[in-house]
Amino acid sequence: MHAVGVDVGGTFTDFVAIDAAGKIFTAKVPSTPHDQSEAVVEGLGRLAEQMSTDVEQFMSECEYLVHGTTVATNIMLEMNGANTGILTTKGFRDILDLRRNYKEAAFDLRLQPPYPIVPRRKRMAVSERIDYAGNIVEPLNEDDVRSSVESLLKQEVESIVVCYLFSFLNPVHEIRTREIIKEMAPNLHISLSHEILPRVREFERLSTTVVDAYVTPKLSRYLMNLKTRLESKNFNGDIFIMSANGGMLPIEQAAKSGVNLVLSGPAGGVVAGAQIGLNSGNGNVITVDMGGTSYDVCLIKNGLPTVSTEAWMNRYRIAVPTLDIHTIGAGGGSIASVDEAGRLTVGPASAGAVPGPACFGRGGKLPTVTDANLYLGLLDANSFLGGKMKLDYEAAAKAIEEHVAKPMGISTVEAANGIFRVVNNSMNNGIRKVSISQGYDPRDFDLIAFGGAGAIHAARQATELGMKRVLVPKGNASVLCAMGDVMSDVLISKTRGYFSRSSMVNLEQVNRLIQDAIAEGSKEIDGIRSLGEVKVVVKFEMHYAGQTHEIVVEGDTTAEGYLKEEGMQNTIQRFHDMHKQLYSFNKPEEETEILGIQVDLWGIRSKLNVKTDAVSDNDTSRIVKGTRKVFYEEYNGFVDTPVYDGERMVTGDRIEGPAIIEEPHTTIVVIPGSYVVVSPEQMYEMIL
């Protein structure tokens, strides 16, 4: 038996398989944006070939497959989701436009409004009203509902949002509205706000529900098509989909609510990074994923990634829990240019895969980070992608000279090194964003670098930040998101609306809400194979009275999820401590408020162990590939540098810097004054 992880990226789809003996197999195939399942099936065939079997036999022996998909993200980026309408409480038709008086650029008078997922003509007002305590003030006007649905059907909507005021306290009107819609149009997708985000604040609830209704129909069709295609290849195991919160969902659950899959692309890498940190003896790590166009950063404290409810996608608020991943436009394809003031800038514009960097020979003429790395000797023109793609050194040099060196009046090597330094600084600012700005010192963390280009820059970045150790996964750094998919656990999250001052908390009511959420989540998690224990984690959204932003605090509850008086007081103290960590002050004497309850059910899966028996003989001559000239600032020039074959390195092998370690899809740069050792956990452990 074996397990498979699949991660779909913008350019490549990555695959990892782990067999019963703990051996890892990896594959990469070009993504197929028109139908991601085509690349998935092709890549599974590549894995089958590596395991000396056909795809039908390979799939019949697959215990489970975990899939990270960008379908929902792409819908929000390309704005090509379902034709969507809204039913909302009379008088609240314009919440999407009013927002919370929030404007991304407060002083930009020319800032255009967001793309209208639901134009005003498709937002219908319904007479009904429930008050802040959940009492019915005005009964639902069913005639309003029917006439509104008729109007939306004439506009050929495929999906309807139902978001009534205070429905999270009493959903009776939303539930009845769904019944009426189903009578009139059984095939329409319906998203009810009390099911998607049952919490206070109407804009967040409406925006999140709108995104769900917009992406779910298309996402659901894709997932069901994928399931059918896999079953046609003899697959009868479990299919899971990575969620943006770092857990995974059974495919049937994922297909019902697409908003949980928006922003889930890099989640697998963060999950893997958390496990790598724990395995390597430090649960405090910062993961960095450098690809072709973006750089994703996430801070992990005590083995737990930070989670946020403050996410935005294409200017729409997504308030469901998501991993707090900070993304900047910096990658191998980021374009370097000189602005009107003569300043060198790198990114966020990217050359992408086509035309790509100048050295790719696909028509790109502008210099990129990859071109600079090639010119500086950090990459080899003949071994890129394991030698399957030859890079054009002369084209890279010409692009750097024409577009950077000449405009700035400097040499080509100074220009290339300038590109390298500028992109490093941009990426380090991303690391500072998730660490220093959150009250954490990066020097207390290890840096885990992955993605195709991450390990080229990681050592320099860590040195500038004062970090002492860099970890690079051996053999699978470029497919670590797929690896993280295999390593993840099932996570079912349920939210309950509850508002109270801390001095007035009704523990009986809170526990009733928690146990109700646990019962609902248990129905979804029951029956999933390959699960061990189920762990319950209760979290509270809290702030000081009068504040407008919350902190998510883990509650001090029993293993069964019950909150007692002592646990309530401990939870409040945790809030005070977290507030001081984040904002450098707290006010223990002030009243706190609870605004919502989140219950996470973690289904811990049985894992396939990754093993290796090879141990170093301390003879590094067997892994030397040759030498090449590499530019180092310490020497202010190019130095002959040994190049090592990463595929032949084993546990205990130690390499002193300066050195280059090459794998088929990753290059690790070992800077002067540092060394790398292959750990038993199959990490390149770089000590600076």
Side-chain angles (χ1 to χ4, degrees):
M1 299 296 288
H2 50 263
V4 174
V6 181
D7 178 66
V8 178
T11 305
F12 291 100
T13 297
D14 301 334
F15 300 81
V16 168
I18 306 177
D19 67 14
K23 186 176 181 181
I24 299 176
F25 302 85
T26 65
K28 271 182 178 284
V29 301
S31 295
T32 50
H34 62 281
D35 182 357
Q36 293 184 4
S37 65
E38 291 185 9
V40 172
V41 173
E42 181 184 351
L44 293 172
R46 299 277 185 91
L47 290 176
E49 291 175 7
Q50 294 183 40
M51 299 178 75
S52 302
T53 185
D54 58 48
V55 68
E56 286 78 11
Q57 182 67 27
F58 173 80
M59 293 307 297
S60 70
E61 297 175 355
C62 182
E63 183 179 359
Y64 57 87
L65 180 146
V66 188
H67 179 26
T69 176
T70 56
V71 169
T73 304
N74 291 342
I75 291 172
M76 286 301 297
L77 292 176
E78 299 167 12
M79 286 299 175
N80 59 2
N83 184 356
T84 304
I86 292 176
L87 298 183
T88 190
T89 304
K90 189 174 182 179
F92 292 85
R93 184 182 178 193
D94 296 312
I95 290 174
L96 272 185
D97 295 331
L98 296 173
R99 310 174 121 194
R100 288 177 66 189
N101 198 28
Y102 176 83
K103 188 177 178 183
E104 291 89 332
F107 303 104
D108 184 356
L109 299 179
R110 296 185 228 179
L111 181 67
Q112 295 297 311
Y115 175 87
I117 288 179
V118 186
R120 197 169 190 270
R121 66 182 180 275
K122 297 177 185 176
R123 304 178 214 155
M124 302 298 168
V126 173
S127 294
E128 69 84 39
R129 191 61 182 264
I130 291 172
D131 68 12
Y132 69 94
N135 301 313
I136 298 176
V137 176
E138 181 180 352
L140 177 68
N141 188 322
E142 296 190 2
D143 291 336
D144 275 3
V145 174
R146 289 187 172 88
S147 62
S148 297
V149 173
E150 286 177 0
S151 177
L152 292 175
L153 291 175
K154 289 178 181 178
Q155 299 181 70
E156 299 181 340
V157 299
E158 308 164 76
S159 185
I160 292 182
V161 173
V162 183
C163 183
Y164 295 146
L165 207 63
F166 292 110
S167 61
F168 61 93
L169 295 177
N170 185 351
V172 60
H173 287 174
E174 287 194 353
I175 293 172
R176 177 55 186 153
T177 298
R178 175 166 56 191
E179 293 172 353
I180 295 172
I181 297 172
K182 285 296 184 184
E183 292 171 6
M184 300 177 66
N187 296 324
L188 281 185
H189 173 79
I190 304 169
S191 294
L192 304 185
S193 71
H194 81 273
E195 293 178 345
I196 303 302
L197 191 70
R199 52 165 284 191
V200 69
R201 295 213 167 109
E202 61 270 23
F203 166 65
E204 282 80 353
R205 187 157 45 90
L206 177 58
S207 177
T208 304
T209 310
V210 165
V211 171
D212 182 79
Y214 190 61
V215 305
T216 299
K218 188 174 181 178
L219 173 69
S220 180
R221 288 193 293 271
Y222 165 72
L223 293 179
M224 293 303 101
N225 176 53
L226 173 68
K227 182 179 180 183
T228 300
R229 295 190 70 161
L230 293 178
E231 289 173 347
S232 71
K233 300 294 183 182
N234 272 354
F235 179 70
N236 59 4
D238 291 324
I239 306 176
F240 299 100
I241 309 299
M242 280 299 298
S243 177
N245 58 13
M248 60 184 189
L249 295 169
I251 190 169
E252 294 80 9
Q253 298 297 329
K256 294 178 181 178
S257 182
V259 71
N260 293 297
L261 273 63
V262 178
L263 300 170
S264 69
V270 174
V271 171
Q275 190 61 50
I276 287 169
L278 291 173
N279 291 345
S280 300
N282 186 6
N284 297 333
V285 298
I286 296 174
T287 64
V288 294
D289 179 1
M290 185 179 183
T293 59
S294 65
Y295 187 76
D296 301 318
V297 191
C298 186
L299 183 140
I300 298 170
K301 179 72 172 177
N302 297 326
L304 298 174
T306 50
V307 176
S308 171
T309 57
E310 301 282 333
W312 291 81
M313 171 59 74
N314 217 346
R315 301 177 67 185
Y316 280 87
R317 180 67 181 274
I318 299 175
V320 294
T322 61
L323 292 178
D324 191 11
I325 299 173
H326 180 62
T327 301
I328 62 173
S334 295
I335 297 171
S337 60
V338 180
D339 65 16
E340 295 177 354
R343 296 173 299 186
L344 174 62
T345 62
V346 181
S350 173
V354 179
C359 62
F360 277 16
R362 295 175 176 171
K365 302 296 182 183
L366 300 176
T368 67
V369 173
T370 298
D371 294 307
N373 288 342
L374 176 63
Y375 187 84
L376 295 173
L378 302 173
L379 288 174
D380 179 47
N382 297 314
S383 60
F384 193 72
L385 293 182
K388 295 179 181 178
M389 183 177 181
K390 305 298 182 183
L391 301 182
D392 189 336
Y393 177 88
E394 296 301 327
K398 181 179 179 181
I400 296 170
E401 182 180 8
E402 289 186 0
H403 296 281
V404 178
K406 286 184 178 179
M408 297 188 72
I410 58 178
S411 68
T412 305
V413 67
E414 288 176 318
N417 190 49
I419 295 170
F420 182 79
R421 293 181 62 185
V422 168
V423 76
N424 282 354
N425 185 65
S426 296
M427 295 188 295
N428 278 349
N429 284 339
I431 294 175
R432 295 182 181 103
K433 177 72 175 178
V434 303
S435 57
I436 295 174
S437 67
Q438 300 294 322
Y440 297 105
D441 189 336
R443 293 174 296 184
D444 297 331
F445 292 75
D446 290 339
L447 188 67
I448 298 180
F450 53 98
I456 295 175
H457 299 259
R460 286 293 181 199
Q461 290 181 253
T463 300
E464 292 175 9
L465 292 166
M467 304 172 79
K468 299 301 182 184
R469 186 168 75 151
V470 175
L471 299 172
V472 181
K474 185 180 186 305
N476 52 49
S478 68
V479 295
L480 195 69
C481 285
M483 187 71 180
D485 293 343
V486 180
M487 299 168 65
S488 60
D489 293 307
V490 175
L491 174 56
I492 304 294
S493 292
K494 296 297 176 183
T495 305
R496 292 293 182 268
Y498 180 78
F499 178 81
S500 173
R501 293 284 179 98
S502 56
S503 60
M504 303 172 64
V505 170
N506 185 327
L507 288 179
E508 182 180 350
Q509 184 181 1
V510 168
N511 283 315
R512 185 167 61 249
L513 290 170
I514 292 172
Q515 294 307 311
D516 178 68
I518 292 174
E520 182 181 341
S522 297
K523 292 179 182 178
E524 298 178 11
I525 212 167
D526 287 345
I528 298 176
R529 292 170 289 185
S530 69
L531 283 186
E533 65 170 324
V534 175
K535 181 182 178 182
V536 176
V537 178
V538 180
K539 300 176 181 177
F540 296 91
E541 293 182 67
M542 302 178 67
H543 67 195
Y544 288 118
Q547 287 185 322
T548 57
H549 296 280
E550 293 75 56
I551 298 175
V552 179
V553 182
E554 183 173 335
D556 184 13
T557 60
T558 67
E560 296 77 22
Y562 286 97
L563 181 68
K564 299 180 180 180
E565 181 60 40
E566 182 181 359
M568 184 72 251
Q569 296 306 314
N570 291 339
T571 301
I572 293 172
Q573 185 58 50
R574 288 180 182 178
F575 166 77
H576 292 311
D577 295 341
M578 290 183 65
H579 198 281
K580 188 169 185 178
Q581 172 73 45
L582 289 170
Y583 305 114
S584 76
F585 76 96
N586 62 6
K587 297 184 177 182
E589 71 282 358
E590 288 200 6
E591 184 84 284
T592 60
E593 292 178 336
I594 296 176
L595 289 92
I597 304 170
Q598 178 186 325
V599 179
D600 293 340
L601 274 71
W602 285 96
I604 311 301
R605 290 188 302 109
S606 56
K607 307 275 194 314
L608 297 174
N609 294 321
V610 178
K611 297 179 180 179
T612 177
D613 297 321
V615 179
S616 175
D617 58 5
N618 298 317
D619 180 12
T620 58
S621 63
R622 61 183 163 76
I623 55 177
V624 175
K625 295 177 67 175
T627 62
R628 70 167 177 263
K629 293 188 179 297
V630 179
F631 180 86
Y632 298 101
E633 286 189 352
E634 290 88 343
Y635 307 128
N636 195 30
F638 288 88
V639 174
D640 286 331
T641 302
V643 180
Y644 296 89
D645 185 352
E647 288 190 292
R648 299 176 61 187
M649 293 180 67
V650 296
T651 301
D653 278 341
R654 175 171 169 148
I655 303 297
E656 300 284 343
I660 300 289
I661 301 172
E662 289 185 343
E663 291 192 348
H665 301 105
T666 304
T667 297
I668 299 95
V669 175
V670 189
I671 62 175
S674 66
Y675 70 88
V676 163
V677 62
V678 178
S679 72
E681 295 80 23
Q682 295 306 282
M683 293 290 122
Y684 294 112
E685 185 175 340
M686 189 183 309
I687 307 300
L688 303 171

PDB file of all heavy atoms in Angstrom, residues 66 134 406 532 688:
ATOM      1  N   VAL A  66      -4.169  12.689  -1.378  1.00  0.00           N
ATOM      2  CA  VAL A  66      -4.449  14.029  -0.865  1.00  0.00           C
ATOM      3  C   VAL A  66      -4.095  15.043  -1.942  1.00  0.00           C
ATOM      4  O   VAL A  66      -2.984  15.029  -2.484  1.00  0.00           O
ATOM      5  CB  VAL A  66      -3.653  14.326   0.414  1.00  0.00           C
ATOM      6  CG1 VAL A  66      -4.113  15.643   1.017  1.00  0.00           C
ATOM      7  CG2 VAL A  66      -3.803  13.195   1.423  1.00  0.00           C
ATOM      8  N   GLY A 134     -31.519  36.878  18.964  1.00  0.00           N
ATOM      9  CA  GLY A 134     -32.043  35.734  18.233  1.00  0.00           C
ATOM     10  C   GLY A 134     -33.555  35.659  18.214  1.00  0.00           C
ATOM     11  O   GLY A 134     -34.109  34.646  17.754  1.00  0.00           O
ATOM     12  N   LYS A 406      23.780  48.992 -17.897  1.00  0.00           N
ATOM     13  CA  LYS A 406      23.968  50.242 -18.644  1.00  0.00           C
ATOM     14  C   LYS A 406      23.144  51.393 -18.071  1.00  0.00           C
ATOM     15  O   LYS A 406      23.678  52.501 -17.872  1.00  0.00           O
ATOM     16  CB  LYS A 406      23.644  50.019 -20.114  1.00  0.00           C
ATOM     17  CG  LYS A 406      24.713  49.233 -20.865  1.00  0.00           C
ATOM     18  CD  LYS A 406      24.378  49.123 -22.347  1.00  0.00           C
ATOM     19  CE  LYS A 406      25.484  48.378 -23.098  1.00  0.00           C
ATOM     20  NZ  LYS A 406      25.155  48.240 -24.554  1.00  0.00           N
ATOM     21  N   GLY A 532      -6.759   7.536  13.356  1.00  0.00           N
ATOM     22  CA  GLY A 532      -6.541   7.060  14.709  1.00  0.00           C
ATOM     23  C   GLY A 532      -7.438   7.831  15.653  1.00  0.00           C
ATOM     24  O   GLY A 532      -8.653   7.839  15.519  1.00  0.00           O
ATOM     25  N   LEU A 688      25.082  28.162  10.150  1.00  0.00           N
ATOM     26  CA  LEU A 688      25.695  29.419   9.703  1.00  0.00           C
ATOM     27  C   LEU A 688      26.608  30.007  10.770  1.00  0.00           C
ATOM     28  O   LEU A 688      26.451  29.741  11.949  1.00  0.00           O
ATOM     29  CB  LEU A 688      24.585  30.419   9.357  1.00  0.00           C
ATOM     30  CG  LEU A 688      23.590  29.931   8.299  1.00  0.00           C
ATOM     31  CD1 LEU A 688      22.427  30.887   8.178  1.00  0.00           C
ATOM     32  CD2 LEU A 688      24.292  29.773   6.955  1.00  0.00           C
TER      33      LEU A 688
END
